[in-house]
Amino acid sequence: MEAQVQNAVEIAWDPRSDPNLKSQAFNFLNEFRLSSSAWIVCLSLFTQEPRKPDVVRHVALEVVNNSIKTQQLDAEGLVSAKIGLMKHVSQVYAGGPTDSLPDPSNVQNKLAQTLVFLFAQLYESRWESFFEDLWQPAARELQSGTPSSATDFYLRTLVTVHDEIADQLIQTTRENTRLNAELKDLVRTRDAARIGTSWREILACWQQLNPSTVTLCLNSMSRWVSWSDISLVANETALSYVMQIAEQQTVQESGSGLSRARYAAIDVFTEVVGKKMSPDDKVELLGFLHADEIVGRLSSVPALNNARGTPDYDTDMAEAVAKLVNNCVFDLVNALSNESSSTRSRESAAGLLHRFMPYLLRFLSDEYDEVCSTIIPALSDQLALFRKISKAEGHLPHPYSEMILPILKALVAKMRYDDTASWSEEDDETDEAEFQELRKRLRVCQQSIAAVDEASYMDTLVGIVESILNDFKENPNGYDWRDVDLALVEMHLLGELAVKNSGLYQKRLPSSAGSQRLINLMTLMIDSNVASCQHPAIQLQVMEIWTRYHSFFEQQTQHLTGVLESFVQFLHSDHLKVRLRAWLLFLRFVQKLRTQLGHVSETIIRAIADLLYIKAEVSSKDDDDSMSSSQKDQVEDPKFQSQLNLFEAVGQLASVPSVPVENQVLLVRTVLEPMKDDIQRNLADATNANEWAMLQIHHLIEAIGVMARGFSDWVPGRSSMPVADQVSEEFQKAASAILNALGTLRGSFTIRSAARFAFTRLIGVLGFKILEQLPQWLEGFLAESSTRDEMGLFLRLLDQIVFGFKTQLYDTMDALLTPLLQRVFASFSEPASGTDDAMELNELRREYLSFLLVLLNNDLDGVLVSSTNQGMFETIISTIEHFARDLTHPNEARHAISVLERMCSVWGGPDIYKPGPNNDLVSSTSADSPPPAPTLQGFDQFMLTRFSPLTWAIMTKPDLNAAKDTGTGAKILMDIAELQGTLLAKTGREYLVWLRDSELTGLGLGQEAIEWYLGGLCTKSGDARVFKGFLVTFLQQIRGG
């Protein structure tokens, strides 16, 4: 069997093996490891001499591990496995009779794991000497002056013990947690002290050890300190050795063995400091450790001090020390903010915090962002404490107040781009993203300082910004773009503070002192002509500030001309990122200041006319493959999507009220005419399936729509149409060009999408004139190839039009309804071919029902029963009934019932009966009940013969119970209760007679049940909720339960 297992492992792990043979090998091994004797075979494979291949031995140990973990070994088996493995340890690691070399690292790790699994099972009563058995060979090595493999393996096992029974990051069962806790208690009682001694003995000769062994020793200490007695590590002897390793004076290459040992030594201090204990105890521990002195000594080693700013600077060590500082400051802040801390501890913590400030600032200011980021969590907590104290006492007392300004200056300095940093180069995109993320965290810290001491914050930042801008003003050719960028970033932050309550101005005056200072900075920024900087980062910041604080220009209009000239230059920038961002920000700027731009709007439009030329860019095939058809319309040409902002801005500028109408017409015509001609020019190629021509027409159509939106956002229902007739005529010509393209290319999804996009925006400039073209739009939108999703979108669009135009739409809708519904019904009859298609079908059902409701609610119900559409009425009712009965789609069923109820309300005439507890129509005479008076002739009988049976067909469905149990059935019953209540209110006694003499009798109900229901209908249906409760009880009774 051993030979078979070895052969199977070698085949399975040989990359050259035949795949079929490899699969057979894995199957054999999976079956083998489940057998009760697998561990015996594998234990023998592992311990045999001469040794088997390492991969075989590694897999063999894994099988033994699995057997131990799954408790396949009884007590004798565990002891047998222990004896076999320790025999191997004594031979290989304890100077046994053989001269075997140590196992490779991966096998040592697996062996240590196997021994620890046995330790977990046997340590309590059958292997109390576990640690001593492993330590003795290592001790003999140390005594001989040649510490080697035994020491290394002992430390490796200590690390594995922690990972198995004490690692908090590994989730385990509650029972395992209990067992692990008991094991830790036993270890602390029996062996912890001896283990602490072993660490000290090993570290005593650390300079003679292999650096990897030193690192293992330190790693085991840093792990164990979290759950063992802290004195095992935090004692003068052990810490002196740890400090010697940590503060090595030689500059080591990062990643070398000695460097890793140094990092591990610093981690020991960090873990000691991080050990959980009360705030008072933690302050006492930090004092005992002289933690500030430790950090000071570590900060002064050449690798961090002399090498700073050179390639030899040890960033990993800096990050490790920064983590130590972060933990210390965090604990000090916790002690100061914790109400349970004693006065003595608070005083000690305050003193320590003050002594830690130089180190916090040192690592906060580190040139490497990962080092700075390490210190920010503690700094955030410290600033939160300062904010709490300041709020409670009205000010920040000494000595905390002295810390604010140095922290703020360090934060501002760190907000600056590094001198070696480039900007917007592809190779540095990740670094740029990480720096911007760091800036966000630094900004939060700055905001915390502003909340503590707003005056000092404002004075400091204003001073920094003014100094940089004045320097630039005096020497515009000798500036460093990083400094200017910093000034503009800080202006953003100042603005957040200056306008946080009431904006920049109130009644044409600065709203606050902070607002006045920001206004002064805005003026200085414009006067210094920072916009002339050629660096893209500066240009982007300048535009952001102009747009963000646009209200400045509402009052300081004298600066508008110069700013607009710079904006136009940015719109033409050679730098793609600047140009595309400028197109968006220019639109926002124009939107906010539109009324102030009338005197220059024509000039601006002419200045950017060259940017209004559209040239589609067809995406690659790879891009097409990664997008769904519904996405392509939006993302196929990102540059064009940005260019649309310019067209909307042009619409905004051309529609400024102060621009004469004749000039508006000329401006609109100047932009639209070339686009209309371009559409016509490309139609022939697009008809021949030219992909570029199709995309070009798509872009042109969308651009027309966006320009229309910029010109007017009027929607039907508002008091007046703001667009002059002459201007509207120009857009109507453009709409005709779109319709021509839509009619020619109606089979193209891309063109239909663009036309639908433009249609919704043209309403604002065409108003009621668009109704004249509505049949053509409908014909184009609903092509044979139109998807259900497109039809649903069009129905939703019609909802908006109906809501806005109401009865003015009657004639148009009367003509459109039948062809529209014929297309919808045809789509209903087509089977869904997949999940997405089924979802689109359900959505179309909802939009169809919503469309009917909109017609009924906006005085257009007449089109449903007009002579033009009368032939469709029966189909309409049948589809509604079908959806109402389909409880597999409960939301659509409820929607359908609501449509029927609304029909009854609209066409059923006035209410002739009001249900109530004292108004029992069952016992009254016929003379007490007036006859129905429907507004639609014969609709009273239609309601009784179609709608009433439908309610009972739904209520008696077996699957309604399942729906009711989930809550949906109760909602459906509520809708039915409302419908039946409306039927009674509209038809009165006729409804009762129909129910008693025909419908309920046909359902097989007895007379007593019929009278019970009729009584409930008459007395309770006035309140749908109450009547629904009655229906639940009634249905339960007639069903026998």
Side-chain angles (χ1 to χ4, degrees):
M1 179 59 75
E2 292 176 9
Q4 288 180 278
V5 173
Q6 178 178 344
N7 188 42
V9 171
E10 290 175 340
I11 292 172
W13 268 265
D14 187 348
R16 297 166 298 180
S17 298
D18 178 81
N20 293 328
L21 197 59
K22 182 177 289 193
S23 176
Q24 293 176 28
F26 275 117
N27 291 335
F28 168 79
L29 291 172
N30 288 333
E31 293 178 8
F32 167 73
R33 66 187 293 152
L34 297 177
S35 66
S36 60
S37 61
W39 71 272
I40 300 173
V41 175
C42 288
L43 182 62
S44 176
L45 272 175
F46 175 76
T47 58
Q48 278 181 20
E49 292 289 346
R51 295 181 187 177
K52 301 298 184 183
D54 289 338
V55 66
V56 175
R57 301 174 71 234
H58 190 279
V59 172
L61 278 178
E62 179 58 39
V63 173
V64 176
N65 281 358
N66 180 68
S67 298
I68 298 171
K69 288 289 286 184
T70 56
Q71 299 182 343
Q72 295 180 25
L73 279 69
D74 57 17
E76 292 182 2
L78 292 170
V79 173
S80 177
K82 166 210 160 185
I83 293 172
L85 291 174
M86 287 305 293
K87 180 179 178 182
H88 171 78
V89 171
S90 67
Q91 291 174 340
V92 177
Y93 301 100
T98 67
D99 295 326
S100 299
L101 293 173
D103 297 310
S105 294
N106 66 313
V107 176
Q108 286 191 47
N109 289 334
K110 185 58 67 176
L111 175 58
Q113 186 183 54
T114 308
L115 290 174
V116 171
F117 287 169
L118 289 170
F119 153 81
Q121 301 280 346
L122 299 174
Y123 182 66
E124 181 178 1
S125 61
R126 290 173 174 263
W127 199 3
E128 296 93 333
S129 61
F130 171 77
F131 292 103
E132 190 65 20
D133 290 347
L134 293 170
W135 165 242
Q136 283 306 317
R140 289 194 293 271
E141 281 187 349
L142 292 173
Q143 290 171 2
S144 68
T146 57
S148 183
S149 57
T151 306
D152 191 88
F153 186 72
Y154 166 72
L155 294 169
R156 194 183 300 270
T157 306
L158 289 183
V159 170
T160 308
V161 167
H162 165 84
D163 293 344
E164 177 61 23
I165 70 173
D167 194 334
Q168 299 296 315
L169 298 179
I170 298 177
Q171 293 184 346
T172 186
T173 64
R174 181 174 297 180
E175 178 62 17
N176 280 342
T177 301
R178 182 187 66 80
L179 294 173
N180 289 340
E182 292 176 357
L183 270 176
K184 286 186 286 185
D185 288 340
L186 280 173
V187 172
R188 283 189 284 257
T189 302
R190 293 177 180 172
D191 291 297
R194 186 69 191 90
I195 291 170
T197 302
S198 72
W199 287 329
R200 292 192 292 273
E201 292 178 12
I202 293 171
L203 291 180
C205 56
W206 71 270
Q207 291 175 324
Q208 288 77 48
L209 292 173
N210 186 301
S212 63
T213 303
V214 178
T215 302
L216 265 177
C217 181
L218 295 167
N219 285 342
S220 64
M221 293 170 69
S222 62
R223 281 169 164 82
W224 278 58
V225 74
S226 65
W227 57 275
S228 61
D229 191 326
I230 195 171
S231 64
L232 297 180
V233 176
N235 58 77
E236 185 175 352
T237 303
L239 292 181
S240 66
Y241 294 136
V242 175
M243 194 65 199
Q244 290 174 25
I245 300 168
E247 63 174 350
Q248 299 170 64
Q249 295 300 302
T250 56
V251 177
Q252 302 291 334
E253 182 180 351
S254 181
S256 67
L258 285 175
S259 291
R260 286 195 292 269
R262 172 188 277 164
Y263 309 149
I266 299 171
D267 285 343
V268 170
F269 287 117
T270 302
E271 292 300 323
V272 168
V273 169
K275 187 173 175 66
K276 292 182 180 179
M277 58 184 69
S278 70
D280 289 349
D281 290 340
K282 183 58 68 71
V283 173
E284 185 178 353
L285 172 65
L286 293 175
F288 166 77
L289 294 174
H290 301 289
D292 57 315
E293 296 179 12
I294 291 174
V295 172
R297 290 168 63 181
L298 293 174
S299 300
S300 63
V301 300
L304 293 187
N305 190 16
N306 301 348
R308 192 173 183 184
T310 73
D312 293 330
Y313 185 65
D314 194 336
T315 55
D316 291 329
M317 182 179 179
E319 193 169 352
V321 179
K323 183 179 179 182
L324 174 58
V325 174
N326 182 77
N327 286 8
C328 291
V329 173
F330 173 83
D331 288 325
L332 292 172
V333 170
N334 182 52
L336 288 167
S337 60
N338 196 306
E339 296 180 358
S340 65
S341 300
S342 66
T343 303
R344 178 181 176 185
S345 293
R346 289 174 185 271
E347 292 173 353
S348 299
L352 278 169
L353 184 62
H354 189 268
R355 295 199 292 275
F356 262 99
M357 274 304 299
Y359 310 121
L360 184 142
L361 295 173
R362 151 70 178 90
F363 291 104
L364 178 64
S365 305
D366 196 278
E367 62 181 297
Y368 290 93
D369 294 346
E370 57 267 29
V371 178
C372 171
S373 297
T374 303
I375 212 75
I376 289 178
L379 175 62
S380 300
D381 287 344
Q382 181 178 344
L383 293 175
L385 171 65
F386 289 174
R387 186 173 183 176
K388 179 181 178 181
I389 295 172
S390 176
K391 186 175 182 180
E393 300 186 15
H395 69 285
L396 190 64
H398 181 83
Y400 300 141
S401 57
E402 295 179 350
M403 303 178 186
I404 287 295
L405 192 57
I407 293 174
L408 177 58
K409 289 183 177 179
L411 289 169
V412 173
K414 195 59 192 173
M415 292 281 279
R416 183 182 183 274
Y417 274 98
D418 185 79
D419 287 335
T420 60
S422 56
W423 188 89
S424 193
E425 293 182 5
E426 291 185 7
D427 293 341
D428 296 316
E429 287 183 357
T430 301
D431 291 342
E432 171 69 14
E434 291 175 351
F435 178 65
Q436 293 303 329
E437 184 61 31
L438 175 62
R439 269 188 170 178
K440 290 180 183 178
R441 300 177 68 189
L442 295 170
R443 182 166 64 243
V444 172
C445 291
Q446 285 194 214
Q447 291 168 338
S448 297
I449 291 177
V452 173
D453 189 349
E454 183 174 319
S456 296
Y457 176 81
M458 185 72 72
D459 290 341
T460 302
L461 291 195
V462 168
I464 291 172
V465 174
E466 285 181 343
S467 175
I468 295 173
L469 293 180
N470 281 320
D471 288 346
F472 177 84
K473 185 176 181 180
E474 294 176 5
N475 185 18
N477 296 321
Y479 73 95
D480 188 328
W481 69 268
R482 298 169 184 84
D483 293 328
V484 180
D485 173 79
L486 175 63
L488 299 180
V489 167
E490 295 301 335
M491 275 191 69
H492 268 292
L493 296 178
L494 280 168
E496 291 178 357
L497 187 62
V499 302
K500 63 180 179 180
N501 294 324
S502 52
L504 204 55
Y505 290 93
Q506 275 189 342
K507 297 180 179 179
R508 304 179 67 84
L509 296 174
S511 59
S512 65
S515 297
Q516 181 62 65
R517 302 187 80 166
L518 180 61
I519 291 168
N520 294 340
L521 289 179
M522 289 285 292
T523 303
L524 176 59
M525 183 185 79
I526 295 172
D527 291 343
S528 65
N529 197 23
V530 169
S532 65
C533 290
Q534 296 304 305
H535 197 279
I538 307 304
Q539 296 176 344
L540 289 170
Q541 291 280 16
V542 166
M543 290 187 291
E544 295 284 353
I545 291 175
W546 287 346
T547 305
R548 186 174 190 180
Y549 304 116
H550 59 85
S551 58
F552 169 83
F553 299 101
E554 293 176 355
Q555 306 302 324
Q556 309 292 331
T557 55
Q558 70 273 17
H559 297 299
L560 267 176
T561 301
V563 167
L564 288 168
E565 289 176 356
S566 297
F567 236 133
V568 169
Q569 293 177 7
F570 298 151
L571 295 173
H572 289 84
S573 173
D574 294 331
H575 196 284
L576 181 62
K577 188 173 182 179
V578 173
R579 185 167 70 251
L580 298 186
R581 186 65 179 168
W583 292 354
L584 172 62
L585 293 177
F586 180 67
L587 169 61
R588 294 177 180 174
F589 189 78
V590 168
Q591 286 173 329
K592 299 297 184 181
L593 297 169
R594 178 169 167 265
T595 56
Q596 277 81 26
L597 302 180
H599 65 293
V600 292
S601 60
E602 298 178 53
T603 304
I604 296 172
I605 292 175
R606 293 191 181 94
I608 64 174
D610 58 312
L611 299 175
L612 302 179
Y613 173 69
I614 294 174
K615 185 176 182 180
E617 296 180 3
V618 179
S619 63
S620 66
K621 295 298 182 183
D622 290 342
D623 293 337
D624 285 344
D625 293 341
S626 65
M627 294 183 293
S628 67
S629 59
S630 62
Q631 292 174 314
K632 289 181 183 178
D633 182 56
Q634 297 301 319
V635 300
E636 199 153 3
D637 194 341
K639 180 181 175 182
F640 168 70
Q641 294 301 320
S642 295
Q643 191 180 14
L644 286 176
N645 295 311
L646 287 179
F647 285 95
E648 186 168 354
V650 167
Q652 293 270 342
L653 290 167
S655 62
V656 176
S658 60
V659 177
V661 171
E662 58 271 20
N663 290 9
Q664 290 184 7
V665 172
L666 180 61
L667 291 172
V668 170
R669 184 183 299 155
T670 301
V671 178
L672 292 182
E673 283 288 349
M675 291 196 286
K676 291 189 298 180
D677 294 342
D678 205 5
I679 290 174
Q680 186 62 39
R681 188 163 46 248
N682 286 286
L683 267 180
D685 289 340
T687 305
N688 294 324
N690 183 295
E691 187 177 1
W692 180 88
M694 191 78 73
L695 190 60
Q696 179 75 357
I697 293 175
H698 164 276
H699 288 2
L700 292 164
I701 292 173
E702 285 201 346
I704 292 172
V706 168
M707 182 176 172
R709 178 176 62 192
F711 199 96
S712 174
D713 60 357
W714 178 83
V715 294
R718 290 186 184 176
S719 56
S720 61
M721 177 71 177
V723 181
D725 288 342
Q726 302 95 308
V727 177
S728 183
E729 288 175 7
E730 296 299 322
F731 280 105
Q732 192 166 20
K733 294 175 185 176
S736 298
I738 296 174
L739 282 172
N740 182 38
L742 179 62
T744 305
L745 305 171
R746 63 196 301 258
S748 167
F749 170 83
T750 300
I751 299 303
R752 293 197 304 270
S753 297
R756 188 167 54 249
F757 176 91
F759 176 80
T760 60
R761 291 153 179 80
L762 285 167
I763 293 174
V765 291
L766 297 183
F768 299 111
K769 295 177 182 177
I770 203 167
L771 300 181
E772 302 170 7
Q773 300 174 327
L774 196 56
Q776 294 173 264
W777 289 104
L778 174 63
E779 183 180 358
F781 290 146
L782 299 183
E784 290 298 323
S785 58
S786 295
T787 65
R788 290 190 176 104
D789 185 49
E790 288 183 87
M791 283 187 281
L793 289 172
F794 183 69
L795 288 174
R796 194 180 308 162
L797 179 60
L798 283 181
D799 291 347
Q800 299 172 9
I801 295 175
V802 169
F803 180 78
F805 292 112
K806 291 184 171 45
T807 55
Q808 294 168 309
L809 190 63
Y810 185 93
D811 291 340
T812 303
M813 187 56 65
D814 189 46
L816 289 179
L817 189 65
T818 292
L820 170 64
L821 294 185
Q822 284 175 340
R823 187 68 186 87
V824 172
F825 295 154
S827 184
F828 285 156
S829 64
E830 297 170 3
S833 57
T835 304
D836 291 344
D837 205 22
M839 292 175 63
E840 289 185 1
L841 178 58
N842 291 336
E843 183 63 28
L844 180 59
R845 288 172 174 172
R846 285 191 290 272
E847 294 300 338
Y848 163 69
L849 294 169
S850 295
F851 174 64
L852 296 178
L853 268 180
V854 168
L855 293 177
L856 292 166
N857 289 331
N858 288 277
D859 301 326
L860 286 175
D861 54 282
V863 300
L864 296 172
V865 292
S866 68
S867 57
T868 306
N869 301 303
Q870 201 167 29
M872 296 297 296
F873 186 73
E874 176 59 30
T875 308
I876 293 172
I877 297 298
S878 297
T879 56
I880 299 172
E881 290 176 332
H882 173 75
F883 296 150
R885 286 189 175 94
D886 186 4
L887 300 186
T888 59
H889 298 94
N891 292 329
E892 287 78 8
R894 295 190 61 210
H895 209 161
I897 296 170
S898 298
V899 173
L900 297 178
E901 193 280 331
R902 185 57 186 160
M903 285 180 173
C904 295
S905 297
V906 172
W907 292 326
D911 293 351
I912 61 173
Y913 177 72
K914 184 176 181 180
N918 300 318
N919 193 7
D920 187 358
L921 191 61
V922 177
S923 58
S924 63
T925 63
S926 58
D928 298 329
S929 177
T935 58
L936 186 64
Q937 185 177 3
F939 194 69
D940 54 334
Q941 291 301 311
F942 189 84
M943 289 188 291
L944 297 182
T945 57
R946 295 291 292 271
F947 298 170
S948 180
L950 176 65
T951 63
W952 288 100
I954 297 171
M955 287 193 294
T956 54
K957 272 181 167 286
D959 51 347
L960 183 64
N961 283 331
K964 180 168 67 66
D965 291 339
T966 63
T968 311
K971 294 176 182 178
I972 291 175
L973 275 179
M974 176 74 78
D975 296 327
I976 290 174
E978 291 182 356
L979 177 55
Q980 289 189 342
T982 302
L983 290 173
L984 178 63
K986 299 300 181 182
T987 59
R989 175 173 291 279
E990 286 190 10
Y991 186 33
L992 300 182
V993 172
W994 166 263
L995 290 170
R996 178 189 289 121
D997 296 347
S998 179
E999 189 166 341
L1000 297 184
T1001 304
L1003 291 174
L1005 296 182
Q1007 191 62 35
E1008 182 178 351
I1010 292 174
E1011 295 302 323
W1012 180 30
Y1013 167 75
L1014 295 178
L1017 176 65
C1018 291
T1019 59
K1020 303 180 187 300
S1021 61
D1023 185 331
R1025 188 173 299 276
V1026 174
F1027 186 47
K1028 186 265 293 183
F1030 168 79
L1031 287 177
V1032 171
T1033 304
F1034 179 76
L1035 291 173
Q1036 288 174 341
Q1037 290 294 324
I1038 65 174
R1039 287 171 176 163

